[in-house]
Amino acid sequence: DAMVIQNPRYQVTQFGKPVTLSCSQTLNHNVMYWYQQKSSQAPKLLFHYYDKDFNNEADTPDNFQSRRPNTSFCFLDIRSPGLGDAAMYLCATSTTGVGTDTQYFGPGTRLTVL
Amino acid sequence: GNSVTQMEGPVTLSEEAFLTINCTYTATGYPSLFWYVQYPGEGLQLLLKATKADDKGSNKGFEATYRKETTSFHLEKGSVQVSDSAVYFCALKSGGYQKVTFGIGTKLQVIP
């Protein structure tokens, strides 16, 4: 089945220690998104890639970076995680064009910062 | 700007009870409307959607009708099961491909 895969499902890091979260997709979608979801809150869009074009949300901290080496993979890098960065990180994909308006989500990575 | 308003949870129901989760929206243009479900510890799964006025989305016994006159997209199910316990997010997409606006989510707990 075509899907969005995130690894790892659970990640523990130390305060200030860089961490990378991974997302891959078999849907061949041209748009990939990273969301941050804190407990009992709606997902918050951090940034997205439209093909190779990176689009940052205005309020996304500089501490968060992303890479998309090819269509299938996208990474979220947190350069110096703080306690406030503990959250669920969700990757999503979509395609563009008429009638294609659904975002498909991965299972998420739960990040714990010690 | 766009916004989605959902009823505050948690909602606790007995098994086989009727479910309604209210959702209203504000948007420019003609948005597409979605319900996503999030089971504990999981990502969001698309439950159903509707792309134009009077459309009814349905899946797994859940239904929602796009009501433009009342700007609403209420989620309903005739008989809930314990396995329906999850958080339900109403969302809309309007304008750019990337702009999905989520509601705050409504937690549903179904007890046997």
Side-chain angles (χ1 to χ4, degrees):
Chain A
D1 286 344
M3 57 198 312
V4 181
I5 302 161
Q6 290 188 244
N7 286 305
R9 295 291 309 278
Y10 301 91
Q11 176 73 58
V12 180
T13 190
Q14 293 180 334
F15 183 95
K17 185 175 181 181
V19 66
T20 295
L21 309 182
S22 169
C23 177
S24 63
Q25 53 127 342
T26 60
L27 296 161
N28 202 32
H29 284 172
N30 59 331
V31 190
M32 295 186 76
Y33 309 80
W34 280 104
Y35 288 85
Q36 179 191 65
Q37 186 184 23
K38 296 190 175 180
S39 182
S40 301
Q41 296 184 19
K44 177 181 180 298
L45 183 64
L46 295 174
F47 28 59
H48 73 279
Y49 274 93
Y50 184 127
D51 294 324
K52 293 186 177 183
D53 293 334
F54 177 71
N55 299 271
N56 201 27
E57 293 299 298
D59 57 353
T60 298
D62 292 341
N63 198 27
F64 292 86
Q65 304 287 319
S66 186
R67 297 170 282 135
R68 189 180 186 186
N70 54 52
T71 300
S72 301
F73 284 86
C74 195
F75 300 98
L76 170 62
D77 300 309
I78 309 177
R79 294 192 296 187
S80 181
L83 298 178
D85 296 327
M88 175 79 90
Y89 289 88
L90 299 169
C91 175
T93 73
S94 72
T95 187
T96 53
V98 176
T100 56
D101 52 9
T102 302
Q103 291 190 7
Y104 296 88
F105 285 81
T109 295
R110 171 75 64 187
L111 177 68
T112 300
V113 181
L114 301 177
Chain B
N2 297 337
S3 67
V4 175
T5 302
Q6 277 183 251
M7 58 190 296
E8 293 276 352
V11 173
T12 302
L13 295 174
S14 297
E15 206 165 21
E16 299 183 1
F18 184 86
L19 168 71
T20 299
I21 301 178
N22 290 337
C23 171
T24 58
Y25 67 89
T26 303
T28 55
Y30 302 94
S32 294
L33 302 174
F34 307 85
W35 278 100
Y36 282 89
V37 58
Q38 186 174 35
Y39 298 101
E42 300 290 327
L44 274 68
Q45 300 176 24
L46 178 67
L47 181 59
L48 53 85
K49 70 176 187 180
T51 57
K52 62 182 186 296
D54 300 325
D55 268 2
K56 178 185 284 188
S58 61
N59 186 25
K60 299 181 181 179
F62 291 89
E63 293 183 339
T65 301
Y66 189 144
R67 301 286 189 200
K68 195 171 191 304
E69 64 277 12
T70 55
T71 61
S72 65
F73 193 55
H74 305 321
L75 182 68
E76 297 181 336
K77 187 176 185 182
S79 176
V80 294
Q81 305 300 312
V82 172
S83 57
D84 294 326
S85 299
V87 180
Y88 292 81
F89 290 92
C90 185
L92 71 84
K93 193 184 84 68
S94 178
Y97 62 88
Q98 77 278 21
K99 288 302 181 185
V100 175
T101 302
F102 288 93
I104 61 170
T106 301
K107 184 175 182 179
L108 171 66
Q109 183 178 11
V110 181
I111 55 178

